Amino acid sequence: MKHSIFAPKELRDPSYIDSFRGIYMPYWAFYISQKGSLSLNGKKTSRRGDYIITDHYALTGDLDAYYKGLSYDASSSFDDNISEELAPYNLKGMKAFTPAYLSGFYADTSDVDAKVYQGDAEYTASAETTGRIASDGTFAGFTMDTIRPEQLHTKTETIDSTMFPVWFLSYRKKDRVAYATVNGQTGLVVADIPIDPKRYLLGSLLLAIPIFALLAWSAFLQPSSLVMTTLLLSLLSIGVYCYECVSIHQKDTGANDRGKMFIQSKKASAADKPKTPEVQLEPAAKNNPLGWILPLCAAVLSFGIWFLHPVSDLYYYGAAILSMAAILVSFISIIHAYNLLSTRRLPQFDKQGGDDRA
């Protein structure tokens, strides 16, 4: 955290740390084989004088590949984006499960079916093999057609239920939690760091002063060009803010989390409801409409001044000042939206039992 100059001071103060917990998270480990004859279409293109000549080849060979332990988390309460960033785990030296390993640690339960991720695992294996084939010296210089997964004889041999260690470190602020997770085997860290608006605005101001001085010395904007610049900045801020809002919606509703969607579909099916679950934003994730309304008004104002082309420059400068004020409000809203996006309340922190000092 010490290198994140815009991070809130709470993240730098150990007294704000709520807990530091080791949790064994359930994973599905897929063992995938690719064995059989391989037949691909390739071509080489060369130029001879005024002609471009393409030679076509039938590339054949035998494929024998094996992927051991492609892992995907089996808990709906563990976000897929976290588990994917923490991967991979090294499965060498894995041991048979015994309850003794859980002494002093927490453990989550497996509630997501392995079939949810089987297609992803086979696709990952196929993509890796395709890249290896394309980079192999035997096929160097050939342009190959797209390799289809069925050509690689991709097959899931076995699926193991495993448990991998993850350390969770949480920082609470009001009803949101900033988190850091650590791969308990490799030490890889995945963390979301919120931004302190005051620190960010102060830093931006200090950076803007030399930039403004440089531009004032080297360039001069006509009033009409200034208004068009603020118009483009207003549209840009609207786009960024809307993108943040969409990302927050997807994250808080689990729209991109296969495990959460599986559980929601399962509950909907059990209740004889449509399989497409209805989702709602948490109250804490509702966004400020001023983040897009003010810059939209500023964009309309700037376009109006540019279109009407008044004689006095005061109209242009007045519109530019109002637009920049609206953009500033929009940027503050963007920072607020980013902080919602970079924080959450993970269910693991509410579990009871185990030893918090572990």
PDB file of all heavy atoms in Angstrom, residues 316-341:
ATOM      1  N   TYR A 316     -18.057  32.266 -24.652  1.00  0.00           N
ATOM      2  CA  TYR A 316     -17.218  31.074 -24.810  1.00  0.00           C
ATOM      3  C   TYR A 316     -16.511  30.725 -23.492  1.00  0.00           C
ATOM      4  O   TYR A 316     -16.526  29.566 -23.059  1.00  0.00           O
ATOM      5  CB  TYR A 316     -16.172  31.309 -25.899  1.00  0.00           C
ATOM      6  CG  TYR A 316     -16.748  31.468 -27.286  1.00  0.00           C
ATOM      7  CD1 TYR A 316     -17.034  32.723 -27.801  1.00  0.00           C
ATOM      8  CD2 TYR A 316     -16.997  30.348 -28.074  1.00  0.00           C
ATOM      9  CE1 TYR A 316     -17.557  32.873 -29.075  1.00  0.00           C
ATOM     10  CE2 TYR A 316     -17.513  30.481 -29.357  1.00  0.00           C
ATOM     11  CZ  TYR A 316     -17.800  31.746 -29.852  1.00  0.00           C
ATOM     12  OH  TYR A 316     -18.310  31.882 -31.115  1.00  0.00           O
ATOM     13  N   TYR A 317     -15.922  31.741 -22.871  1.00  0.00           N
ATOM     14  CA  TYR A 317     -15.196  31.479 -21.627  1.00  0.00           C
ATOM     15  C   TYR A 317     -16.152  31.093 -20.500  1.00  0.00           C
ATOM     16  O   TYR A 317     -15.821  30.235 -19.665  1.00  0.00           O
ATOM     17  CB  TYR A 317     -14.372  32.703 -21.231  1.00  0.00           C
ATOM     18  CG  TYR A 317     -13.239  32.980 -22.187  1.00  0.00           C
ATOM     19  CD1 TYR A 317     -13.119  34.221 -22.817  1.00  0.00           C
ATOM     20  CD2 TYR A 317     -12.282  32.011 -22.465  1.00  0.00           C
ATOM     21  CE1 TYR A 317     -12.075  34.481 -23.702  1.00  0.00           C
ATOM     22  CE2 TYR A 317     -11.241  32.263 -23.343  1.00  0.00           C
ATOM     23  CZ  TYR A 317     -11.146  33.498 -23.957  1.00  0.00           C
ATOM     24  OH  TYR A 317     -10.121  33.742 -24.828  1.00  0.00           O
ATOM     25  N   GLY A 318     -17.331  31.716 -20.477  1.00  0.00           N
ATOM     26  CA  GLY A 318     -18.320  31.346 -19.462  1.00  0.00           C
ATOM     27  C   GLY A 318     -18.772  29.908 -19.622  1.00  0.00           C
ATOM     28  O   GLY A 318     -18.878  29.155 -18.639  1.00  0.00           O
ATOM     29  N   ALA A 319     -19.036  29.503 -20.874  1.00  0.00           N
ATOM     30  CA  ALA A 319     -19.441  28.120 -21.141  1.00  0.00           C
ATOM     31  C   ALA A 319     -18.325  27.144 -20.780  1.00  0.00           C
ATOM     32  O   ALA A 319     -18.574  26.056 -20.234  1.00  0.00           O
ATOM     33  CB  ALA A 319     -19.833  27.965 -22.607  1.00  0.00           C
ATOM     34  N   ALA A 320     -17.079  27.524 -21.062  1.00  0.00           N
ATOM     35  CA  ALA A 320     -15.943  26.657 -20.749  1.00  0.00           C
ATOM     36  C   ALA A 320     -15.788  26.479 -19.247  1.00  0.00           C
ATOM     37  O   ALA A 320     -15.539  25.369 -18.761  1.00  0.00           O
ATOM     38  CB  ALA A 320     -14.665  27.235 -21.355  1.00  0.00           C
ATOM     39  N   ILE A 321     -15.960  27.578 -18.490  1.00  0.00           N
ATOM     40  CA  ILE A 321     -15.831  27.492 -17.027  1.00  0.00           C
ATOM     41  C   ILE A 321     -16.924  26.605 -16.445  1.00  0.00           C
ATOM     42  O   ILE A 321     -16.672  25.742 -15.587  1.00  0.00           O
ATOM     43  CB  ILE A 321     -15.876  28.903 -16.414  1.00  0.00           C
ATOM     44  CG1 ILE A 321     -14.630  29.691 -16.811  1.00  0.00           C
ATOM     45  CG2 ILE A 321     -16.000  28.829 -14.896  1.00  0.00           C
ATOM     46  CD1 ILE A 321     -14.665  31.144 -16.370  1.00  0.00           C
ATOM     47  N   LEU A 322     -18.184  26.802 -16.889  1.00  0.00           N
ATOM     48  CA  LEU A 322     -19.275  25.969 -16.394  1.00  0.00           C
ATOM     49  C   LEU A 322     -19.070  24.507 -16.770  1.00  0.00           C
ATOM     50  O   LEU A 322     -19.354  23.595 -15.977  1.00  0.00           O
ATOM     51  CB  LEU A 322     -20.609  26.487 -16.951  1.00  0.00           C
ATOM     52  CG  LEU A 322     -21.068  27.859 -16.431  1.00  0.00           C
ATOM     53  CD1 LEU A 322     -22.357  28.287 -17.149  1.00  0.00           C
ATOM     54  CD2 LEU A 322     -21.293  27.826 -14.927  1.00  0.00           C
ATOM     55  N   SER A 323     -18.576  24.274 -17.977  1.00  0.00           N
ATOM     56  CA  SER A 323     -18.339  22.895 -18.417  1.00  0.00           C
ATOM     57  C   SER A 323     -17.262  22.231 -17.573  1.00  0.00           C
ATOM     58  O   SER A 323     -17.392  21.063 -17.168  1.00  0.00           O
ATOM     59  CB  SER A 323     -17.938  22.871 -19.896  1.00  0.00           C
ATOM     60  OG  SER A 323     -18.986  23.347 -20.713  1.00  0.00           O
ATOM     61  N   MET A 324     -16.191  22.945 -17.279  1.00  0.00           N
ATOM     62  CA  MET A 324     -15.124  22.366 -16.473  1.00  0.00           C
ATOM     63  C   MET A 324     -15.596  22.084 -15.049  1.00  0.00           C
ATOM     64  O   MET A 324     -15.195  21.092 -14.439  1.00  0.00           O
ATOM     65  CB  MET A 324     -13.913  23.297 -16.451  1.00  0.00           C
ATOM     66  CG  MET A 324     -13.215  23.448 -17.802  1.00  0.00           C
ATOM     67  SD  MET A 324     -12.746  21.851 -18.542  1.00  0.00           S
ATOM     68  CE  MET A 324     -11.567  21.262 -17.339  1.00  0.00           C
ATOM     69  N   ALA A 325     -16.473  22.947 -14.520  1.00  0.00           N
ATOM     70  CA  ALA A 325     -17.034  22.688 -13.191  1.00  0.00           C
ATOM     71  C   ALA A 325     -17.875  21.416 -13.208  1.00  0.00           C
ATOM     72  O   ALA A 325     -17.814  20.591 -12.285  1.00  0.00           O
ATOM     73  CB  ALA A 325     -17.872  23.884 -12.738  1.00  0.00           C
ATOM     74  N   ALA A 326     -18.676  21.238 -14.267  1.00  0.00           N
ATOM     75  CA  ALA A 326     -19.490  20.027 -14.385  1.00  0.00           C
ATOM     76  C   ALA A 326     -18.615  18.795 -14.550  1.00  0.00           C
ATOM     77  O   ALA A 326     -18.898  17.732 -13.982  1.00  0.00           O
ATOM     78  CB  ALA A 326     -20.441  20.161 -15.573  1.00  0.00           C
ATOM     79  N   ILE A 327     -17.538  18.935 -15.316  1.00  0.00           N
ATOM     80  CA  ILE A 327     -16.615  17.807 -15.505  1.00  0.00           C
ATOM     81  C   ILE A 327     -15.947  17.444 -14.184  1.00  0.00           C
ATOM     82  O   ILE A 327     -15.740  16.262 -13.881  1.00  0.00           O
ATOM     83  CB  ILE A 327     -15.568  18.158 -16.578  1.00  0.00           C
ATOM     84  CG1 ILE A 327     -16.243  18.277 -17.952  1.00  0.00           C
ATOM     85  CG2 ILE A 327     -14.466  17.107 -16.634  1.00  0.00           C
ATOM     86  CD1 ILE A 327     -15.337  18.827 -19.027  1.00  0.00           C
ATOM     87  N   LEU A 328     -15.626  18.453 -13.361  1.00  0.00           N
ATOM     88  CA  LEU A 328     -15.027  18.189 -12.051  1.00  0.00           C
ATOM     89  C   LEU A 328     -15.978  17.383 -11.173  1.00  0.00           C
ATOM     90  O   LEU A 328     -15.569  16.409 -10.522  1.00  0.00           O
ATOM     91  CB  LEU A 328     -14.663  19.503 -11.375  1.00  0.00           C
ATOM     92  CG  LEU A 328     -14.055  19.394  -9.968  1.00  0.00           C
ATOM     93  CD1 LEU A 328     -12.751  18.615 -10.015  1.00  0.00           C
ATOM     94  CD2 LEU A 328     -13.835  20.775  -9.371  1.00  0.00           C
ATOM     95  N   VAL A 329     -17.261  17.762 -11.161  1.00  0.00           N
ATOM     96  CA  VAL A 329     -18.260  17.004 -10.405  1.00  0.00           C
ATOM     97  C   VAL A 329     -18.358  15.579 -10.944  1.00  0.00           C
ATOM     98  O   VAL A 329     -18.456  14.600 -10.190  1.00  0.00           O
ATOM     99  CB  VAL A 329     -19.633  17.702 -10.462  1.00  0.00           C
ATOM    100  CG1 VAL A 329     -20.707  16.835  -9.801  1.00  0.00           C
ATOM    101  CG2 VAL A 329     -19.569  19.058  -9.780  1.00  0.00           C
ATOM    102  N   SER A 330     -18.306  15.438 -12.275  1.00  0.00           N
ATOM    103  CA  SER A 330     -18.373  14.108 -12.885  1.00  0.00           C
ATOM    104  C   SER A 330     -17.176  13.264 -12.483  1.00  0.00           C
ATOM    105  O   SER A 330     -17.311  12.067 -12.194  1.00  0.00           O
ATOM    106  CB  SER A 330     -18.435  14.240 -14.409  1.00  0.00           C
ATOM    107  OG  SER A 330     -18.437  12.971 -15.026  1.00  0.00           O
ATOM    108  N   PHE A 331     -15.984  13.869 -12.436  1.00  0.00           N
ATOM    109  CA  PHE A 331     -14.794  13.123 -12.047  1.00  0.00           C
ATOM    110  C   PHE A 331     -14.884  12.661 -10.599  1.00  0.00           C
ATOM    111  O   PHE A 331     -14.447  11.552 -10.269  1.00  0.00           O
ATOM    112  CB  PHE A 331     -13.548  13.984 -12.258  1.00  0.00           C
ATOM    113  CG  PHE A 331     -12.963  13.852 -13.634  1.00  0.00           C
ATOM    114  CD1 PHE A 331     -13.778  13.776 -14.746  1.00  0.00           C
ATOM    115  CD2 PHE A 331     -11.595  13.819 -13.816  1.00  0.00           C
ATOM    116  CE1 PHE A 331     -13.264  13.654 -16.014  1.00  0.00           C
ATOM    117  CE2 PHE A 331     -11.056  13.691 -15.091  1.00  0.00           C
ATOM    118  CZ  PHE A 331     -11.897  13.610 -16.189  1.00  0.00           C
ATOM    119  N   ILE A 332     -15.436  13.498  -9.734  1.00  0.00           N
ATOM    120  CA  ILE A 332     -15.625  13.084  -8.342  1.00  0.00           C
ATOM    121  C   ILE A 332     -16.590  11.898  -8.277  1.00  0.00           C
ATOM    122  O   ILE A 332     -16.390  10.947  -7.511  1.00  0.00           O
ATOM    123  CB  ILE A 332     -16.148  14.265  -7.501  1.00  0.00           C
ATOM    124  CG1 ILE A 332     -15.088  15.372  -7.419  1.00  0.00           C
ATOM    125  CG2 ILE A 332     -16.535  13.801  -6.096  1.00  0.00           C
ATOM    126  CD1 ILE A 332     -15.555  16.622  -6.714  1.00  0.00           C
ATOM    127  N   SER A 333     -17.631  11.934  -9.100  1.00  0.00           N
ATOM    128  CA  SER A 333     -18.571  10.815  -9.161  1.00  0.00           C
ATOM    129  C   SER A 333     -17.894   9.564  -9.708  1.00  0.00           C
ATOM    130  O   SER A 333     -18.189   8.445  -9.280  1.00  0.00           O
ATOM    131  CB  SER A 333     -19.771  11.193 -10.039  1.00  0.00           C
ATOM    132  OG  SER A 333     -20.469  12.297  -9.507  1.00  0.00           O
ATOM    133  N   ILE A 334     -16.993   9.741 -10.666  1.00  0.00           N
ATOM    134  CA  ILE A 334     -16.256   8.601 -11.220  1.00  0.00           C
ATOM    135  C   ILE A 334     -15.385   7.963 -10.137  1.00  0.00           C
ATOM    136  O   ILE A 334     -15.302   6.732 -10.027  1.00  0.00           O
ATOM    137  CB  ILE A 334     -15.400   9.048 -12.419  1.00  0.00           C
ATOM    138  CG1 ILE A 334     -16.297   9.390 -13.613  1.00  0.00           C
ATOM    139  CG2 ILE A 334     -14.395   7.964 -12.811  1.00  0.00           C
ATOM    140  CD1 ILE A 334     -15.558   9.997 -14.787  1.00  0.00           C
ATOM    141  N   ILE A 335     -14.730   8.805  -9.321  1.00  0.00           N
ATOM    142  CA  ILE A 335     -13.911   8.274  -8.225  1.00  0.00           C
ATOM    143  C   ILE A 335     -14.783   7.512  -7.231  1.00  0.00           C
ATOM    144  O   ILE A 335     -14.416   6.432  -6.759  1.00  0.00           O
ATOM    145  CB  ILE A 335     -13.151   9.409  -7.525  1.00  0.00           C
ATOM    146  CG1 ILE A 335     -12.143  10.052  -8.483  1.00  0.00           C
ATOM    147  CG2 ILE A 335     -12.443   8.904  -6.285  1.00  0.00           C
ATOM    148  CD1 ILE A 335     -11.469  11.279  -7.928  1.00  0.00           C
ATOM    149  N   HIS A 336     -15.960   8.065  -6.931  1.00  0.00           N
ATOM    150  CA  HIS A 336     -16.881   7.378  -6.025  1.00  0.00           C
ATOM    151  C   HIS A 336     -17.313   6.040  -6.614  1.00  0.00           C
ATOM    152  O   HIS A 336     -17.371   5.022  -5.901  1.00  0.00           O
ATOM    153  CB  HIS A 336     -18.103   8.264  -5.767  1.00  0.00           C
ATOM    154  CG  HIS A 336     -19.160   7.600  -4.932  1.00  0.00           C
ATOM    155  ND1 HIS A 336     -19.004   7.316  -3.593  1.00  0.00           N
ATOM    156  CD2 HIS A 336     -20.400   7.147  -5.268  1.00  0.00           C
ATOM    157  CE1 HIS A 336     -20.081   6.716  -3.130  1.00  0.00           C
ATOM    158  NE2 HIS A 336     -20.945   6.609  -4.122  1.00  0.00           N
ATOM    159  N   ALA A 337     -17.602   6.040  -7.919  1.00  0.00           N
ATOM    160  CA  ALA A 337     -17.994   4.786  -8.572  1.00  0.00           C
ATOM    161  C   ALA A 337     -16.847   3.790  -8.566  1.00  0.00           C
ATOM    162  O   ALA A 337     -17.053   2.584  -8.345  1.00  0.00           O
ATOM    163  CB  ALA A 337     -18.456   5.070 -10.006  1.00  0.00           C
ATOM    164  N   TYR A 338     -15.627   4.274  -8.781  1.00  0.00           N
ATOM    165  CA  TYR A 338     -14.467   3.374  -8.742  1.00  0.00           C
ATOM    166  C   TYR A 338     -14.303   2.761  -7.352  1.00  0.00           C
ATOM    167  O   TYR A 338     -13.978   1.574  -7.223  1.00  0.00           O
ATOM    168  CB  TYR A 338     -13.199   4.127  -9.129  1.00  0.00           C
ATOM    169  CG  TYR A 338     -11.945   3.330  -8.862  1.00  0.00           C
ATOM    170  CD1 TYR A 338     -11.528   2.347  -9.748  1.00  0.00           C
ATOM    171  CD2 TYR A 338     -11.201   3.525  -7.699  1.00  0.00           C
ATOM    172  CE1 TYR A 338     -10.402   1.584  -9.484  1.00  0.00           C
ATOM    173  CE2 TYR A 338     -10.079   2.785  -7.432  1.00  0.00           C
ATOM    174  CZ  TYR A 338      -9.676   1.816  -8.334  1.00  0.00           C
ATOM    175  OH  TYR A 338      -8.558   1.059  -8.066  1.00  0.00           O
ATOM    176  N   ASN A 339     -14.531   3.576  -6.318  1.00  0.00           N
ATOM    177  CA  ASN A 339     -14.406   3.046  -4.956  1.00  0.00           C
ATOM    178  C   ASN A 339     -15.457   1.975  -4.675  1.00  0.00           C
ATOM    179  O   ASN A 339     -15.199   1.021  -3.937  1.00  0.00           O
ATOM    180  CB  ASN A 339     -14.516   4.180  -3.936  1.00  0.00           C
ATOM    181  CG  ASN A 339     -13.253   5.027  -3.884  1.00  0.00           C
ATOM    182  OD1 ASN A 339     -12.192   4.593  -4.314  1.00  0.00           O
ATOM    183  ND2 ASN A 339     -13.371   6.240  -3.387  1.00  0.00           N
ATOM    184  N   LEU A 340     -16.653   2.133  -5.238  1.00  0.00           N
ATOM    185  CA  LEU A 340     -17.653   1.070  -5.121  1.00  0.00           C
ATOM    186  C   LEU A 340     -17.201  -0.174  -5.868  1.00  0.00           C
ATOM    187  O   LEU A 340     -17.431  -1.307  -5.432  1.00  0.00           O
ATOM    188  CB  LEU A 340     -18.997   1.546  -5.672  1.00  0.00           C
ATOM    189  CG  LEU A 340     -19.773   2.571  -4.846  1.00  0.00           C
ATOM    190  CD1 LEU A 340     -21.045   2.976  -5.571  1.00  0.00           C
ATOM    191  CD2 LEU A 340     -20.108   2.029  -3.469  1.00  0.00           C
ATOM    192  N   LEU A 341     -16.539   0.043  -7.002  1.00  0.00           N
ATOM    193  CA  LEU A 341     -16.098  -1.082  -7.821  1.00  0.00           C
ATOM    194  C   LEU A 341     -14.934  -1.827  -7.176  1.00  0.00           C
ATOM    195  O   LEU A 341     -14.782  -3.035  -7.367  1.00  0.00           O
ATOM    196  CB  LEU A 341     -15.697  -0.577  -9.208  1.00  0.00           C
ATOM    197  CG  LEU A 341     -15.393  -1.625 -10.282  1.00  0.00           C
ATOM    198  CD1 LEU A 341     -16.625  -2.477 -10.551  1.00  0.00           C
ATOM    199  CD2 LEU A 341     -14.928  -0.950 -11.558  1.00  0.00           C
TER     200      LEU A 341
END
